[in-house]
Amino acid sequence: MNTQIVHVNLGPRSYNIEIGSGNLGEAARLCQADQDGAHAIIITDANVDSLYTEPVAETLAEHGCEVGIMVVEAGESSKSSDVADELWETMLEDGADRKSVVVALGGGVVGDLAGFVAATFARGLPFVQIPTTLLAQVDSSVGGKVGINLPGAKNMVGAFWQPRAVLIDVDVLGTLPDREYRAGLAEVVKYGVIQDADFFAYLETNIEPINRRDAAVLAKIVQRCCRLKADVVEQDEREETGLRAILNYGHTFGHAFETATGYEQLLHGEGVAIGMMCAARLAQRMRRVDAAFTARQRDLLEAFDLPVAVPDVSHDDLLDLMYHDKKVDRGKLRFVLPTRLGQVEVVAGVSTNDILAAMDEEG
Amino acid sequence: MNTQIVHVNLGPRSYNIEIGSGNLGEAARLCQADQDGAHAIIITDANVDSLYTEPVAETLAEHGCEVGIMVVEAGESSKSSDVADELWETMLEDGADRKSVVVALGGGVVGDLAGFVAATFARGLPFVQIPTTLLAQVDSSVGGKVGINLPGAKNMVGAFWQPRAVLIDVDVLGTLPDREYRAGLAEVVKYGVIQDADFFAYLETNIEPINRRDAAVLAKIVQRCCRLKADVVEQDEREETGLRAILNYGHTFGHAFETATGYEQLLHGEGVAIGMMCAARLAQRMRRVDAAFTARQRDLLEAFDLPVAVPDVSHDDLLDLMYHDKKVDRGKLRFVLPTRLGQVEVVAGVSTNDILAAMDEEG
């Protein structure tokens, strides 16, 4: 399979996303490991470390690069100021300087954390993303959002810090637990709904190869999602024009579900899948889409074995959580709602009644 | 006295520095306090709080702005990840969002800390600097460097984050302790040496009004220093071309003196004053300037009652510290050395012998 390139055009901060199969060895070139005095710091988590640190570290070392490896605990709890602080101090001890490259090897947690550390150490180091989950490959590794959580507030501290390059090897998805793989597919479906009806149809006709993680199909899917996300990020790098908000389709509901269930019951993608169903029902209630749209979205999510049922939590509590999301601009709750397959709008002034009704299965 | 404006031209990140006397009330306009839902967070230290928080907070509140006040301990120890973490959490509790403005009211420590918190909270909030020390007015409030310290490494974590505006009231210098005021003058002299011989001569002919802190003379001095620093920052915003390094004249020696004396014996400006003398003697040894240059610089520093004698620490230890400064690119120590009054160059390959000799009074 040939490597596919998605170029993210952000002027002086432009970079390439390279997507292939068995291409982890390209890390050396992307980290400029051959340069005199090259130094790379691989930040990864305990799960990924045992699988993929060795091949990446070896290829860097073979090209003459000095390599440091920092392993954090797997899971969202590593996206904390305490862990960032530990990484900063370890990097200092390891002699990291302005020419060191940070390599984020892992899923979204590692990418966000390592990216934040890269953005802030010595006022900013170059970093290379090597996302190892489907979610990170199609979403969090593109666009430069990095950050850590505060107690009770995800991603509250961070930066916009673009990577120097993103290296995606779809082969690594082979070791991903089933549930995590499927959670990533929720974001894949999202791109079809919000930006690309043809891509949605492609997914519908490729359910079987997707479910068995066919490398060629995966590379195509990842490439398309990265391109779609890059199209948005290129027009609204710092979330200023409002366009980037469309990527949050399903997320207002989804975040509330994740929070209400203590981030333990649902994976992010699962929350988004259920949130997309609520958003679709909300749009249907508001006569923006018809029942066929909602059914088609549900069928595809279910074909990927994704949950679509709202968790068993008081809907009033969920509503309350939505109003306290950090994206809510001083009390004005907005929803990303479909107008047709492949197109969404940001809608304000939705009635509380409609929001509550959309969380009922019957919509 | 009329307000003087220094425009810092950084494309989309351009901003004005407004310099005046008794102009703290302008904070309301610069923070856009009149805007619907305006919210400002004043970050200050315990010393400045008792003097200047009230007038600033009042003018903001009078214009309808909601105001939060966060007071940290005075001193370098507040530039820590722990304090940053506390500020992030307090801001979250106070309902800060992407439209909140951070106001850094204080000296360099407050500006660096509050700027870092502003740069990272919600991936970046606008911030307004109101520097209250001479050092901060002529140096740290210009140029967008923000950050915190790691144990044993100053400014190791941070960002380039430009303020929306800088508001300078030279009247606040009236309450500055004598030693701190004089330490700020070291950086003022520095600008004359590195960039502007006429300005150096102006200082020489205005020693008396400077020493009694004449407001009109101070406004002129601060305006000139901000313009000179802005000229450098506009050409090398992110310290990439090397030009910005000229601002570190005297700092390689100075940092070593500060570190060797545990940051207790010397104020930053005092370390810089002594460092400038070492740099001048080093340049003289290398036949870049003559003895008259060194004497003229010494006379001006002494006229401002600044220390010029190297602290009583092993020179070998000092040399060692210089080689471990974070600005030292993989072992290559560089010095900013004068070629004539108003011009400096960055020089590599200086012999250890010459460095050691420059630390002897006789040079």
Side-chain angles (χ1 to χ4, degrees), chain A residues 89-138:
Chain A
E89 294 196 19
T90 310
M91 285 168 67
L92 181 65
E93 286 160 19
D94 281 14
D97 65 16
R98 291 175 190 182
K99 297 200 174 157
S100 304
V101 178
V102 171
V103 179
L105 177 67
V109 165
V110 164
D112 287 1
L113 171 70
F116 178 66
V117 165
T120 50
F121 190 87
R123 295 200 189 88
L125 300 182
F127 88 116
V128 171
Q129 294 255 29
I130 308 182
T132 60
T133 65
L134 182 56
L135 183 64
Q137 290 184 352
V138 300

Side-chain angles (χ1 to χ4, degrees), chain B residues 68-232:
Chain B
I69 299 167
M70 299 179 196
V71 183
V72 301
E73 279 179 41
E76 189 76 22
S77 64
S78 283
K79 263 176 72 174
S80 70
S81 56
D82 284 349
V83 175
D85 201 22
E86 278 170 37
L87 291 173
W88 287 327
E89 294 195 21
T90 310
M91 284 167 68
L92 181 64
E93 287 159 20
D94 281 15
D97 66 17
R98 290 175 190 181
K99 297 204 174 152
S100 304
V101 178
V102 172
V103 179
L105 177 67
V109 165
V110 164
D112 288 2
L113 170 69
F116 178 65
V117 165
T120 50
F121 189 87
R123 295 200 188 89
L125 300 182
F127 88 115
V128 171
Q129 294 253 30
I130 308 182
T132 59
T133 66
L134 181 56
L135 184 64
Q137 290 184 352
V138 300
D139 181 21
S140 55
S141 71
V142 189
K145 280 191 182 181
V146 298
I148 55 175
N149 303 329
L150 293 182
K154 284 184 72 166
N155 299 320
M156 202 65 229
V157 167
F160 290 93
W161 190 247
Q162 301 298 341
R164 175 191 281 176
V166 180
L167 175 62
I168 296 180
D169 180 353
V170 294
D171 287 2
V172 305
L173 300 180
T175 53
L176 207 59
D178 192 58
R179 211 179 137 195
E180 250 194 278
Y181 176 70
R182 293 178 183 288
L185 289 175
E187 297 275 357
V188 172
V189 173
K190 183 196 77 177
Y191 287 109
V193 176
I194 67 173
Q195 285 170 283
D196 190 342
D198 289 345
F199 180 58
F200 190 94
Y202 174 84
L203 296 174
E204 286 177 318
T205 54
N206 284 278
I207 288 166
E208 187 276 325
I210 293 169
N211 278 334
R212 68 171 152 80
R213 311 189 195 184
D214 177 87
V217 172
L218 277 176
K220 186 177 159 70
I221 286 174
V222 171
Q223 183 274 335
R224 190 69 199 139
C225 291
C226 287
R227 183 65 261 160
L228 289 167
K229 179 154 183 185
D231 286 344
V232 173

